[in-house]
Amino acid sequence: SRMAATIPLSALPVGRTAVLRSYPTAGAAFLRFREMGLLPGTTVTLVRTAPLGDPLEIQVRGYRLTLRRSEAEAIVVEPAAS
């Protein structure tokens, strides 16, 4: 099977769901993601973005999580089939 296309989480359209594939292992933000159970293979939905595009709000495992656009740009996701 071919590799599905991946994009940065920051490029996911609002309301779309994707599967998290990878993110940096260094950095406080990404340590926080791991502690919250945001691991590769986790399904995330982009709920909304602030008017100026920062921060973004995602839904994961039933709760909402806010992250900076710079963080979202470093998170690789595979959009679910629409």
Side-chain angles (χ1 to χ4, degrees):
S1 65
R2 68 177 184 81
M3 286 293 295
T6 57
I7 60 170
L9 176 57
S10 56
L12 189 68
V14 170
R16 288 291 304 276
T17 296
V19 176
L20 193 149
R21 288 298 174 215
S22 65
Y23 54 80
T25 54
F30 304 110
L31 179 61
R32 180 171 59 108
F33 295 159
R34 279 200 300 281
E35 289 171 346
M36 296 180 83
L38 194 57
L39 303 168
T42 304
T43 298
V44 300
T45 302
L46 184 61
V47 177
R48 63 192 173 108
T49 59
L52 299 177
D54 204 355
L56 295 80
E57 186 176 349
I58 62 173
Q59 180 154 343
V60 55
R61 300 186 190 277
Y63 54 83
R64 299 279 176 94
L65 178 63
T66 301
L67 59 158
R68 291 193 291 271
R69 175 164 292 277
S70 59
E71 295 164 353
E73 286 169 354
I75 299 172
V76 176
V77 299
E78 180 184 318
S82 50

